[in-house]
Amino acid sequence: MSTDRDNTASTSAVSVGLRGRCPRCGKGPLFKGFLDLAPSCTVCGLDYGFADAGDGPAVFVTMIAGTIVVGLALWTEVTYEPPFWVHLAIFLPLTLVLCLGTLRPIKGLLIALQYRNKAEQGRFDS
């Protein structure tokens, strides 16, 4: 459909992706649950059947949160030498907050970039 990408110049893929909005109009919700995609946009009718973020969001979240948590845990250990239970009390909740707090925005961002860049699976021409 030629009108699918007509409104993309007015919306930023990063902005709508991080907010969990439709990549075409930027207004309708992208998600119907925490990580479940809605079938289509309730505002412009864009079918979200094209969206497949795969394991990308989980990989990015793991790398980002892991770097932050491990770096802080090492710094805390070297600087203060706290007992093990202090590490658990601080870094277990921090890990959960970072992972759960960034997973949905990163998934929305990857789907919005996938739409904006017209990304598709690779195919072999025979």
Side-chain angles (χ1 to χ4, degrees):
M1 201 172 179
S2 64
T3 60
D4 273 355
R5 303 189 195 276
D6 290 347
N7 294 332
T8 59
S10 63
T11 59
S12 163
V14 174
S15 174
V16 298
L18 291 176
R19 291 184 297 125
R21 297 293 175 199
C22 172
R24 185 196 305 168
C25 69
K27 295 178 183 156
L30 184 62
F31 298 100
K32 70 176 178 182
F34 181 65
L35 290 176
D36 295 330
L37 288 178
S40 63
C41 178
T42 56
V43 176
C44 70
L46 175 65
D47 180 21
Y48 295 147
F50 71 90
D52 181 22
D55 292 334
V59 171
F60 284 116
V61 166
T62 301
M63 294 298 180
I64 293 167
T67 301
I68 292 169
V69 170
V70 170
L72 288 174
L74 287 173
W75 176 79
T76 303
E77 179 62 33
V78 170
T79 305
Y80 301 108
E81 298 179 12
F84 183 68
W85 68 268
V86 173
H87 281 289
L88 283 177
I90 295 171
F91 296 110
L92 185 60
L94 179 62
T95 302
L96 289 172
V97 167
L98 283 175
C99 290
L100 294 177
T102 59
L103 189 55
R104 183 177 166 144
I106 289 178
K107 183 173 182 175
L109 174 63
L110 291 178
I111 290 171
L113 289 172
Q114 179 183 14
Y115 175 79
R116 186 62 47 93
N117 295 311
K118 302 175 188 173
E120 297 177 349
Q121 285 190 355
R123 296 188 183 123
F124 289 112
D125 293 330
S126 53

